[in-house]
Amino acid sequence: MRFKVLGPLEVSTAADARTVTPRAAKVRVVLSTLLVRANEVVSVDGLIDELWGEQPPRTAMTTLQVYISQLRKLLQDVQPELGRDALLTRAPGYLLRVDPGQLDLAVFEDLHRRGREELGQGDYAAAAELQRQALALWRGPLLSDTPHGSLLKSMSVRLAEARIAALEQRVRAELQLGRHQEILGELQALTTELPLHEDFHAHLMVALYRTGRQADALRTFGELRRTLVQELAIEPGRRLQQLHSRILTGDPALLQPAAKRQQRVIVDRPAAATPTDQAPSVSLTLPQFTSVEPYFTGREEQLEQLAGWLRGLPGGGCVQVTGPAGMGKTALAVSAAHRVAELFPDGRVLVGLRDEAGRPLPAERVPHAVLRALGGADRPAPSAAAARDAVHRLTEGRRLLLVLDDAVDAEQLRALLPLPTGCTTLVTGPAVLPGVEGPVLPLEELSPADARELLLTASGRTPSAHQGVEALPDEPEAASAEPAAGDVWDRLADQCERFPGALRAVAQHLALNPHRSPADLAARLSAAASRPAALRALDEEHGRSLYAAYAAASEEVRRTARLLSLLPPEPFTSADAAVALGVPQQAAEARIRSLVAAGLLATAPDGSVHRFPPLQRLTAAEALGEEEPVRLRAALIRLSEAAADRAESAQRATRVDGLHPLDWFTRRRADLVTLLDRVHGAGLWAHVLRMADAMSAFLEALAAWDAWKHTHTLALDAATRLPDEAARARVLRSLGDLAWQRQRCEEARELYEQVLACPQADDAERSRALAGLADVRLGDGAGSAAAGLVAPALLRASGDVRGRFEAHRVLGLHALDAEGPAAAERHFRECLALAGTLDDRRLEAYARRWLVRLRDGSVHPGWTEVRPGVWRGRRTVEAEASARPARRGVPSLR
């Protein structure tokens, strides 16, 4: 039995080709719906909706059962042995079993898929034939004699688009085979039938150009542009604009199909007979680069250096260009190849060293890839050694430039290099290939000026002499120059991390949407965490390239990238990586090498530090949700413990990483706060508390009020959840100190009193809370009351050293106003001794400053350094009732 739906519905017998199509319209609807969803269950509700829409009759269920019964009888009468089991009842509806070969729709989809795959693999003859066979199955619109409900309407639209896609791919393959003359008339008819379809217009422009009708090709573009502007108020797409520019400038590469863009070099076969494993084919075809990257911008210094190396290399030499994925290595290599074209009269060849899925080619397949790129036969495939011999024999004595793109390691090129004298090799890859002799050019992000220029040039928002694309006819001024407020272009460049690939995606989006504001786009990209997804949404092609390095990596490499994305964005050491990964440092170094090979990480030339390119880091961080929760929590524990250890030791150090401890903390504050947020989000309450405690002294010294409030609010939540009342009292006291620094006296008093009301608060926290209340009273001018609050701390055991320090501090401040400098000096001398016991440089420096002031009489008449770095207007009982504003300063830790 055969079913046809690509046109009028037709059911026929396989034996005698007798037509047995149901005549009743409703029965045809049921059969058609089951056929377009062949081998799938179609629900009863779906069938009823297809038959009657939103107003089914009361007997709809019974009537549908009658139609199903009629279809079963038809199938059984035509094919008794199989018809009984073809239409089955399957909850919640019915299923029609159809062999794919029985249904023209299934045959069409299979042929179309295979043709698309052959086109992607470059077999244009097979692609054209398969699409031709697929299109031959069409007899008209889908089920043109059958009423359509919602399902059949949507299927009709989808298949109409699939037919156009098959037609476009067949035409594209025909053009690649050089059949432009044969399909010219068909293309003219297609552009008339589909006046808004850019691909068919592009194919027509190429066909006209190849037949010597350059003016007609340009006229075709002008007509399409007028239609798009008048009907949709949009410009043709960037690819069509680039094609228009190439036709305007008479690009000779457009005159020949891809298979014929070559240079012929003949190499004689040896006289001796060749065994099966001998080097194949004597003909060498060298594809030439068709054009320079149209918007290659900047890199002038690197480009000139690379070109100089290529000019000065001895025969058979090699140059490497390194950098992580997305850095523009290929564009630079291609541009350099054009700059030195005169040195390689026998050809310049670009060979990608990854397969269609983005995986690196195995070493034994690299010679085959180069052989195919050179035009040498590769079927039946020789061994790697035979392919290498063929490459060497084909290139011997020739002046060729071979660009090997995206090499992951030296092992990958082992079976190919070195090449014969005269054949220069330019290798791009994520890392330096050890053992490969020759100069190395590492690439980093574009400079701010080059990044801005690339955005402006590629988006077409401002004229540029080197843009390489002439102005379009009747182009509106708004598309060529759009005013942007302030530094919006620089902000966009920074959001793209000055990566050429990301910059081109943004520029292309702006070029194709001339009325879109760059400020709106900058706002869309403002959230760093969602930026990779936003960039992928802007440009599907760039999205694939941005994600390709991560997606093509092994699961172990992806897991390593995810965990290392937890580290701060600045360069990190192998020891830092070992902490994040929970492995010995030697194992961490091995994993880092795998990340570098995958293009996800960059390493300093001396190997001392490693760096995530920002967009790759964000891409890995975006995938953290894929990480196993247990593994993620363990990494966060290790990182939080290491961060707390470092902060605690920094409090006691004089220099940290060559910086003053306060400067060190200032540079890392945002990263520490981010880590604490992650730790809190993971519910690691004890680790939240430890990190907040380790940061407290720095936050207080720097008067970093916002970060202090944020971190200690999270710590208070963690202490409550544990529950840990002693820790809760400690955090409440710190928040009280913060409120006091901000002169929120009532809030400070309330927080200090909560500490005193907590039975689990230790003596040190109770003493510091009392000192805080005393500071509030000092601010009110009640010095005697303040002294009374802290006096009990002096009677406690010597273990409460910090409490005794705070008591003497308050008493010294009170004594200065009540008795004079001599009385105050005794208390600050005690402060100095206690600070030494605590080994707290910040408190020690505070006590020393006071002793100097008291001895030389330099006490400020209107201001007092109440706590380290915190100044307040001096108030006594006799002072004015109104307080002067607080003055904040940053003390030294020494």
Side-chain angles (χ1 to χ4, degrees):
M1 189 177 299
R2 296 287 184 268
F3 301 94
K4 296 180 180 180
V5 297
L6 301 179
L9 176 64
E10 185 177 308
V11 184
S12 60
T13 61
D16 53 11
R18 178 168 48 91
T19 300
V20 291
T21 308
R23 295 183 178 180
K26 295 292 188 184
V27 177
R28 289 206 309 274
V29 170
V30 175
L31 177 58
S32 298
T33 305
L34 293 170
L35 283 171
V36 299
R37 296 279 297 277
N39 301 308
E40 298 179 24
V41 175
V42 182
S43 69
V44 169
D45 289 342
L47 289 167
I48 290 175
D49 181 66
E50 198 67 25
L51 285 164
W52 294 289
E54 297 181 357
Q55 296 181 331
R58 288 182 300 156
T59 59
M61 182 68 75
T62 302
T63 306
L64 174 60
Q65 291 172 348
V66 171
Y67 296 156
I68 293 294
S69 177
Q70 291 175 1
L71 284 176
R72 281 190 172 128
K73 185 175 185 305
L74 170 68
L75 296 172
Q76 188 171 355
D77 288 346
V78 174
Q79 200 168 3
E81 67 280 10
L82 298 175
R84 182 190 308 275
D85 299 324
L87 182 51
L88 304 175
T89 301
R90 288 285 186 272
Y94 301 95
L95 179 148
L96 181 61
R97 287 179 175 172
V98 178
D99 186 280
Q102 296 178 269
L103 178 62
D104 61 350
L105 171 58
V107 176
F108 165 79
E109 291 181 326
D110 179 64
L111 289 168
H112 177 38
R113 175 189 58 78
R114 290 163 53 199
R116 184 171 61 248
E117 292 174 353
E118 294 293 345
L119 185 64
Q121 295 172 5
D123 192 340
Y124 304 121
E129 179 58 30
L130 287 166
Q131 300 294 7
R132 190 178 294 109
Q133 293 178 26
L135 292 165
L137 296 171
W138 282 80
R139 298 169 294 115
L142 177 75
L143 297 163
S144 54
D145 64 341
T146 302
H148 287 196
S150 58
L151 174 63
L152 293 182
K153 284 180 182 177
S154 64
M155 182 63 72
S156 178
V157 171
R158 184 181 74 80
L159 288 174
E161 289 297 322
R163 176 181 173 274
I164 291 174
L167 187 56
E168 189 275 327
Q169 290 165 22
R170 196 215 84 211
V171 168
R172 185 186 305 178
E174 300 272 17
L175 279 175
Q176 299 285 22
L177 292 168
R179 299 171 184 169
H180 40 271
Q181 189 68 56
E182 293 91 325
I183 63 173
L184 187 57
E186 181 184 11
L187 278 170
Q188 290 172 325
L190 285 169
T191 53
T192 301
E193 178 186 349
L194 302 167
L196 301 179
H197 201 291
E198 293 195 15
D199 283 342
F200 286 130
H201 282 80
H203 296 328
L204 177 58
M205 289 166 64
V206 172
L208 288 168
Y209 181 65
R210 288 181 182 171
T211 54
R213 298 166 62 181
Q214 183 181 18
D216 289 338
L218 295 172
R219 189 176 298 112
T220 298
F221 176 85
E223 291 172 355
L224 171 64
R225 183 181 180 277
R226 280 191 292 273
T227 302
L228 291 173
V229 171
Q230 290 171 3
E231 297 194 14
L232 302 177
I234 62 172
E235 293 288 332
R238 175 59 60 185
R239 286 188 301 169
L240 203 63
Q241 293 182 25
Q242 291 175 348
L243 175 61
H244 173 255
S245 175
R246 295 176 67 186
I247 293 174
L248 270 174
T249 56
D251 188 344
L254 281 177
L255 291 173
Q256 296 185 23
K260 296 181 181 179
R261 295 175 195 159
Q262 58 193 20
Q263 242 176 316
R264 298 293 299 178
V265 178
I266 304 302
V267 179
D268 293 333
R269 183 189 298 272
T274 57
T276 304
D277 200 35
Q278 184 64 29
S281 188
V282 298
S283 294
L284 172 60
T285 50
L286 294 177
Q288 299 297 299
F289 298 156
T290 58
S291 65
V292 183
E293 163 61 47
Y295 299 116
F296 181 80
T297 301
R299 305 270 198 213
E300 185 58 35
E301 181 180 344
Q302 295 95 328
L303 184 57
E304 188 54 40
Q305 184 177 30
L306 185 56
W309 284 343
L310 291 172
R311 291 188 182 101
L313 274 181
C318 180
V319 178
Q320 298 183 58
V321 178
T322 64
M327 200 59 79
K329 301 183 294 294
T330 306
L332 179 68
V334 170
S335 297
H338 279 284
R339 184 162 291 196
V340 297
E342 74 283 356
L343 298 178
F344 303 101
D346 294 319
R348 292 159 291 144
V349 185
L350 178 67
V351 183
L353 299 184
R354 290 183 181 269
D355 62 18
E356 295 80 1
R359 296 181 296 263
L361 290 178
E364 62 271 14
R365 296 303 303 165
V366 171
H368 298 80
V370 174
L371 183 61
R372 284 194 298 273
L374 293 174
D378 192 24
R379 293 183 182 179
S383 67
R388 179 181 184 275
D389 290 344
V391 170
H392 281 230
R393 294 181 56 227
L394 290 173
T395 58
E396 184 69 47
R398 311 294 171 183
R399 287 293 295 156
L400 309 173
L401 176 62
L402 180 62
V403 181
L404 299 177
D405 191 39
D406 211 2
V408 295
D409 54 34
E411 177 64 19
Q412 195 178 22
L413 304 183
R414 170 184 50 79
L416 179 68
L417 298 182
L419 290 173
T421 300
C423 187
T424 298
T425 309
L426 173 54
V427 180
T428 75
V432 178
L433 304 182
V436 177
E437 297 295 332
V440 178
L441 178 63
L443 280 190
E444 295 186 347
E445 295 84 351
L446 289 172
S447 70
D450 285 346
R452 177 189 176 94
E453 179 65 15
L454 176 56
L455 278 177
L456 291 169
T457 301
S459 67
R461 297 299 174 102
T462 59
S464 177
H466 65 271
Q467 182 170 331
V469 178
E470 297 189 17
L472 302 179
D474 305 321
E475 186 171 9
E477 292 183 3
S480 62
E482 180 183 40
D487 60 347
V488 64
W489 294 105
D490 293 327
R491 189 161 70 253
L492 274 174
D494 289 341
Q495 288 169 339
C496 293
E497 307 293 349
R498 305 201 302 278
F499 261 48
L503 290 165
R504 288 191 180 92
V506 168
Q508 182 185 48
H509 180 78
L510 291 171
L512 297 179
N513 298 273
H515 306 296
R516 180 70 53 85
S517 164
D520 293 340
L521 190 52
R524 182 176 174 183
L525 297 174
S526 60
S530 60
R531 196 170 298 149
L535 285 169
R536 288 199 293 273
L538 286 179
D539 187 311
E540 183 183 2
E541 181 177 353
H542 170 66
R544 289 197 300 270
S545 67
L546 176 66
Y547 195 70
Y550 178 83
S554 67
E555 176 55 31
E556 181 179 359
V557 170
R558 291 198 297 268
R559 180 183 300 117
T560 300
R562 291 194 294 266
L563 293 180
L564 291 184
S565 74
L566 295 170
L567 292 171
E570 67 263 11
F572 58 88
T573 66
S574 300
D576 297 328
V579 173
L581 300 174
V583 298
Q585 186 168 334
Q586 187 175 2
E589 290 170 351
R591 296 195 188 183
I592 286 171
R593 287 193 294 272
S594 67
L595 277 178
V596 172
L600 297 175
L601 203 66
T603 294
D606 61 1
S608 59
V609 293
H610 320 283
R611 180 178 64 90
F612 258 125
L615 287 179
Q616 298 292 8
R617 178 180 179 273
L618 289 175
T619 299
E622 187 184 42
L624 270 173
E626 303 171 12
E627 190 54 64
E628 297 176 12
V630 173
R631 196 186 305 273
L632 182 59
R633 284 171 60 88
L636 288 172
I637 289 172
R638 292 191 298 270
L639 289 170
S640 67
E641 288 296 298
D645 287 344
R646 195 75 186 280
E648 289 167 357
S649 63
Q651 294 179 35
R652 301 184 294 272
T654 56
R655 306 291 288 178
V656 185
D657 296 341
L659 300 171
H660 186 280
L662 287 179
D663 294 330
W664 171 85
F665 182 81
T666 299
R667 292 180 60 173
R668 285 157 179 76
R669 182 175 71 194
D671 297 330
L672 290 170
V673 172
T674 298
L675 178 58
L676 188 143
D677 285 340
R678 288 186 181 276
V679 173
H680 183 271
L684 301 170
W685 312 126
H687 301 281
V688 171
L689 286 168
R690 187 176 175 214
M691 283 194 69
D693 286 341
M695 295 165 67
S696 289
F698 290 107
L699 296 170
E700 181 180 356
L702 293 167
W705 291 347
D706 291 340
W708 190 352
K709 178 71 171 178
H710 176 73
T711 56
H712 283 64
T713 298
L714 294 182
L716 183 61
D717 177 65
T720 303
R721 289 173 182 268
L722 274 174
D724 184 339
E725 286 301 309
R728 183 171 178 274
R730 187 168 64 249
V731 177
L732 285 170
R733 191 270 309 155
S734 182
L735 289 171
D737 290 347
L738 171 61
W740 177 83
Q741 273 204 21
R742 302 176 80 169
Q743 296 196 77
R744 298 176 179 175
C745 294
E746 287 304 317
E747 180 184 344
R749 180 183 287 111
E750 180 180 339
L751 289 165
Y752 289 140
E753 288 175 349
Q754 289 185 52
V755 176
L756 297 174
C758 180
Q760 283 78 27
D762 60 26
D763 288 344
E765 293 305 326
R766 296 177 68 84
S767 295
R768 293 187 69 177
L770 284 169
L773 286 173
D775 284 325
V776 173
R777 301 306 302 270
L778 281 174
D780 294 335
S784 298
L789 286 170
V790 299
L794 300 179
L795 304 176
R796 292 201 182 102
S798 59
D800 183 13
V801 179
R802 181 59 188 267
R804 297 179 67 200
F805 174 93
E806 296 295 341
H808 280 291
R809 175 184 63 81
V810 173
L811 291 171
L813 294 172
H814 172 59
L816 178 63
D817 287 329
E819 304 175 51
E825 182 177 350
R826 178 173 59 85
H827 290 291
F828 283 111
R829 197 184 303 279
E830 287 293 331
C831 284
L832 180 61
L834 293 166
T837 302
L838 291 167
D839 193 22
D840 191 317
R841 296 178 180 274
R842 179 165 166 267
L843 299 182
E844 187 175 350
Y846 170 76
R848 288 186 187 280
R849 289 196 297 273
W850 263 113
L851 289 172
V852 170
R853 294 184 193 117
L854 293 169
R855 289 170 185 168
D856 63 13
S858 61
V859 176
H860 195 284
W863 295 91
T864 299
E865 188 181 8
V866 185
R867 293 187 188 179
V870 182
W871 292 73
R872 292 285 167 86
R874 293 182 64 184
R875 293 186 64 185
T876 64
V877 176
E878 297 81 12
E880 297 178 0
S882 59
R884 293 178 178 145
R887 185 174 65 178
R888 290 161 42 206
V890 178
S892 168
L893 286 187
R894 297 195 64 178

